Amino acid sequence: MEPLVLDSKTRLLVLTGAGVSAESGVPTFRGMNGLWENHPVEAVASPQGFEANPALVWRFYSQRRTGAADVKPNPGHDALVRWEQHLGDRFLLATQNVDGLHTKAGSQRVVDMHGNLFRTKCADCQRAPFADTSVHPSGTVPKCDNCGGRLRPDIVWFGEMLDPNDLARIGEFITRNDGTRLVFLAAGTSGAVWPAAGIVDEVRSVRGDTWLVNYESAANTERFHHFVQGLSGEVLPTLAKLV
């Protein structure tokens, strides 16, 4: 297998999905068979679900915070930290995961495309999202200190749009004209969730090189120049040659 060469003329965009977190023991929606305590996932991960039963939504996310607090990054997370330290501003990590494991591992240039489990925002006013590890007692809905409205997890739910600033940051990295060559690597992704699934095509449109590291073939595998099958925690630590 040829190495992924990361030299002084390369900039690297990485996309990670649920498979990377699953290797650390974080349960995925798919692993839940689309259900949580016999509730469809949409009941606890959509604006409609929050309007119908905000206390149920907070019980779900309080459980997830409790579970994620003790989860440790795996060797795949650690490899990405080393790559970032080597490349500096020529590195950007976009993740679909909300568990904060990349930040816990030491990654700094992170775009949380789907939000972050350990951030909270107000559903009723324009208060900026803030770091929050609180676990709330069952049946409670936390209130905003600014307006008294309902707080909600800073997660992009089903039916919601991604933050335009996050998409712009990724787009600007792809189209950056600084004389470097662009490489894109996706790991642990299904290739079926948009707009993340379309990043490979954006990169190819500017003649970037594209890599996929997945335990199984993704929905968009054929769009990548290179496909390395395996667990990201086993593949990533030895994939790159840092020059």
Side-chain angles (χ1 to χ4, degrees), residues 18-32:
V20 174
S21 291
E23 292 178 38
S24 286
V26 178
T28 66
F29 281 146
R30 289 185 179 186
M32 300 173 179

Side-chain angles (χ1 to χ4, degrees), residues 199-210:
I199 292 177
V200 61
D201 297 308
E202 292 184 54
V203 172
R204 289 183 66 124
S205 73
V206 295
R207 300 184 178 181
D209 193 24
T210 55

Side-chain angles (χ1 to χ4, degrees), residues 10-240:
T10 300
R11 71 184 188 279
L12 176 67
L13 172 64
V14 176
L15 170 71
T16 61
V20 174
S21 291
E23 292 178 38
S24 286
V26 178
T28 66
F29 281 146
R30 289 185 179 186
M32 300 173 179
N33 298 314
L35 295 174
W36 172 73
E37 295 186 356
N38 291 321
H39 297 285
V41 166
E42 289 78 8
V44 292
S46 71
Q48 295 80 10
F50 186 74
E51 287 299 321
N53 194 339
L56 180 73
V57 171
W58 267 112
R59 186 157 66 85
F60 171 71
Y61 283 101
S62 289
Q63 281 190 15
R64 292 194 75 190
R65 283 180 176 176
T66 299
D70 296 327
V71 175
K72 302 291 191 294
N74 63 58
H77 294 101
D78 296 334
L80 296 178
V81 174
R82 290 194 297 273
W83 297 359
E84 179 180 5
Q85 290 170 344
H86 178 69
L87 294 171
D89 287 337
R90 290 178 286 114
F91 177 93
L92 184 65
L93 171 57
T95 184
Q96 296 170 280
N97 302 328
V98 300
D99 47 54
L101 280 175
H102 286 298
T103 300
K104 186 183 287 189
S107 293
Q108 297 178 5
R109 297 165 177 85
V110 181
V111 178
D112 293 312
M113 295 182 71
H114 292 176
N116 191 301
L117 179 61
F118 296 102
R119 281 201 312 260
T120 295
K121 65 182 181 180
C122 184
D124 300 309
C125 76
Q126 298 301 310
R127 179 183 181 183
F130 56 94
D132 183 18
T133 59
S134 303
V135 174
H136 301 285
S138 180
T140 61
V141 179
K143 300 298 183 184
C144 175
D145 293 337
N146 286 12
C147 75
R150 301 159 302 167
L151 294 178
R152 55 162 282 185
D154 187 22
I155 303 287
V156 181
W157 283 332
F158 293 108
E160 294 185 323
M161 302 294 289
L162 302 191
D163 187 332
N165 293 324
D166 288 342
L167 296 178
R169 188 176 174 192
I170 295 168
E172 289 165 3
F173 189 86
I174 290 172
T175 58
R176 182 192 296 178
N177 186 15
D178 61 358
T180 59
R181 72 182 185 100
L182 174 63
V183 177
F184 171 58
L185 182 142
T189 68
S190 67
V193 179
W194 291 79
I199 292 177
V200 61
D201 297 308
E202 292 184 54
V203 172
R204 289 183 66 124
S205 73
V206 295
R207 300 184 178 181
D209 193 24
T210 55
W211 292 69
L212 174 65
V213 175
N214 249 28
Y215 184 65
E216 55 191 19
S217 183
N220 60 351
T221 298
E222 74 284 350
R223 303 299 302 141
F224 288 84
H225 295 108
H226 314 272
F227 173 41
V228 183
Q229 190 160 8
L231 295 170
S232 60
E234 297 175 357
V235 174
L236 295 185
T238 60
L239 180 64

